[in-house]
Amino acid sequence: MLTNLTPQPADKILALMQMFREDPREAKIDLGVGVYKNAQGITPVMRAVKAAERQLVEDQTTKAYTGLAGDPAFAKAMRGLILGDADDDSRIAAVATPGGTGAIRQGLELMRFAAEDATIWVSTPTWPNHPSIIKYLDIPMQGYRYFDNTTRSVDFVGMMADLKGVKKGDLVLLHGCCHNPTGANLTADQWGQVADLLEDTGAIPFVDIAYQGFGDGLEADAYGPRLLMARMPEMIIAASCSKNFGVYRERTGLLMAVAPNEKAKAETQSTLNFLNRQNYSFPPDHGARVVQMILDDPALRTDWQAELEAVRTGMLGLRNQLADALRQDTNSDQFDFVAQHRGMFSRLGISEDKVTKLREDHGIYMIGDSRMNIAGLNAETVPILASAIARVISD
Ligand code: LMR
């Protein structure tokens, strides 16, 4: 059996992460994988996470199994965080999942189970693991235009034109905020127009929200999902706690499936529990419990929000510094969009050859499509990056 196997295509983000680790150069800059790093290049354990973990070690009396859906208190706290006043317990089935990827996978499994013939529409470009899992599950997929490589902003006209092709019951994958890989996001008005289109066509939104709090703030970043929650009869939401709680390796995520009524919610919940059982039985609990403790404890929550806000404003500062440095070094405003983009990423819009040159000649690692992780920078490395970009684009 095992001799029949051939090597599988490497995930380009994870392959780059490995390449960076193996690069012996001292002066190298990692703008690849989407992991937050502080000015010292460290991905810290957040203060509130440490405090909650200490408390958990003291107070936890058992490691016996949770339920198949995970801890209901985690789901409730996360529903509140993401949906705010739009939360509606009577309509939302939810299961804890191993990270945001687990939530996406379970959401797609649910789709395949419930809507065999439906197509899922994904933005071009999107996080590469989206199409990878969709293809693996053999779900029909279509792309919709999203990014204008000239203006480096959302190609909204193209997006709406393409989405006119959706059929009733199709799913449309939307990034809840902080679009990965581009950093270009929908405005409030555009979210409204997308909701109109989904209502008119009877298509169902599938929202991936992995960076809430990294863009314009916890509330503002949830604008799209909240609007859709208020208007759509059905929706899937895959949420990750990896970035905004910094619990990457704890694999903490939540899948929510919004049903039109209580009966459909109960049936959806039963299906989600079944799917968890088929794939991994009980979801991991440690990270979920820590997140729930933070969200439900006013002091921990305040401290977590303060630290997250500092992370967010730090990234905005780096964006502004980089846009200024690029303006100077390239003597043009062609990279001003870096200050307008939001979240961890910006897509520079330079060719793959230039990205390779940045890596080979300057030790600067970004994904081949020119996605860079802003959090991989600090005040000292911004000028180095700006001058390297100016050099490679003029070559
Ligand atoms: C990324 O896009 O870099 C992150 O979401 C990490 C990953 O798993 O790809």
Side-chain angles (χ1 to χ4, degrees):
M1 168 181 84
L2 299 180
T3 51
N4 296 332
L5 297 174
T6 51
Q8 295 302 309
D11 180 286
K12 58 186 180 184
I13 298 174
L14 304 185
L16 193 78
M17 186 163 100
Q18 190 57 27
M19 217 194 247
F20 179 81
R21 283 185 182 152
E22 286 165 6
D23 186 336
R25 284 176 287 186
E26 275 284 315
K28 52 181 181 174
I29 303 175
D30 181 11
L31 308 179
V33 67
V35 170
Y36 171 74
K37 293 196 202 104
N38 64 18
Q40 290 72 45
I42 290 165
T43 306
V45 181
M46 293 179 87
R47 294 186 302 263
V49 169
K50 266 277 182 229
E53 284 184 318
R54 272 192 219 106
Q55 202 179 315
L56 188 59
V57 167
E58 280 305 309
D59 297 349
Q60 195 165 47
T61 53
T62 181
K63 294 273 186 197
Y65 291 129
T66 56
L68 278 177
D71 179 6
F74 166 66
K76 182 165 187 273
M78 285 293 289
R79 281 191 348 237
L81 177 70
I82 296 166
L83 295 171
D85 289 343
D87 181 26
D88 182 353
D89 185 32
S90 71
R91 292 179 53 210
I92 305 177
V95 282
T97 55
T101 307
I104 292 161
R105 170 68 186 254
Q106 295 303 79
L108 290 168
E109 294 252 14
L110 178 68
M111 169 190 174
R112 193 171 58 159
F113 199 83
E116 243 176 47
D117 299 327
T119 293
I120 187 154
W121 294 68
V122 299
S123 64
T124 310
T126 191
W127 183 50
N129 211 20
H130 285 149
S132 179
I133 301 174
I134 292 166
K135 277 189 208 140
Y136 180 69
L137 291 175
D138 216 9
I139 293 174
M141 176 171 62
Q142 287 256 14
Y144 62 85
R145 275 172 285 172
Y146 184 81
F147 190 64
D148 181 335
N149 219 33
T150 320
T151 61
R152 272 83 152 195
S153 59
V154 176
D155 174 7
F156 194 64
V157 173
M159 174 176 176
M160 293 300 273
D162 291 350
L163 288 180
K164 288 228 162 72
V166 299
K167 294 188 311 295
K168 186 172 161 46
D170 280 354
L171 278 88
V172 178
L173 183 51
L174 299 158
H175 296 225
C177 63
C178 308
H179 186 267
N180 178 5
T182 66
N185 296 295
L186 298 177
T187 62
D189 178 61
Q190 289 170 339
W191 274 109
Q193 292 185 52
V194 170
D196 291 344
L197 182 138
L198 294 170
E199 266 176 356
D200 291 349
T201 54
I204 301 164
F206 186 132
V207 176
D208 178 2
I209 182 155
Y211 296 89
Q212 188 185 358
F214 273 41
D216 291 312
L218 276 173
E219 299 298 311
D221 289 349
Y223 179 85
R226 288 178 189 183
L227 177 84
L228 294 174
M229 178 71 209
R231 291 185 51 181
M232 307 302 301
E234 295 195 5
M235 167 161 62
I236 304 287
I237 303 176
S240 169
C241 302
S242 298
K243 330 276 161 153
N244 52 6
F245 288 86
V247 289
Y248 303 85
R249 64 176 64 173
E250 300 300 348
R251 310 313 298 136
T252 308
L254 184 78
L255 173 67
M256 291 181 256
V258 182
N261 54 50
E262 240 170 292
K263 181 171 173 291
K265 172 203 160 168
E267 282 150 5
T268 307
Q269 186 66 59
S270 153
T271 306
L272 288 178
N273 291 0
F274 169 79
L275 292 173
N276 266 15
R277 182 64 169 160
Q278 304 321 300
N279 281 327
Y280 42 76
S281 284
F282 304 91
D285 179 63
H286 179 82
R289 208 154 289 254
V290 164
V291 165
Q292 173 265 314
M293 287 167 74
I294 294 170
L295 291 176
D296 287 344
D297 179 299
L300 288 178
R301 187 175 180 133
T302 303
D303 189 46
W304 166 68
Q305 281 186 203
E307 191 170 355
L308 178 61
E309 188 58 10
V311 163
R312 186 182 81 80
T313 50
M315 286 192 297
L316 275 184
L318 289 167
R319 285 188 177 280
N320 290 330
Q321 194 196 343
L322 180 59
D324 286 349
L326 282 165
R327 190 177 258 257
Q328 260 186 10
D329 290 357
T330 63
N331 209 11
S332 80
D333 58 6
Q334 62 175 307
F335 292 106
D336 279 10
F337 63 86
V338 170
Q340 313 310 321
H341 284 171
R342 284 294 179 273
M344 220 178 211
F345 308 114
S346 268
R347 183 186 256 208
L348 270 184
I350 61 174
S351 69
E352 188 142 6
D353 287 355
K354 309 250 180 234
V355 171
T356 306
K357 239 177 147 15
L358 279 173
R359 188 174 68 242
E360 289 177 353
D361 299 355
H362 302 272
I364 294 170
Y365 284 69
M366 60 179 72
I367 311 297
D369 64 2
S370 73
R371 181 194 88 168
M372 58 177 177
N373 174 10
I374 295 293
L377 291 166
N378 60 36
E380 281 78 56
T381 52
V382 164
I384 300 171
L385 172 65
S387 85
I389 292 173
R391 291 262 303 270
V392 300
I393 61 166
S394 65
D395 280 351

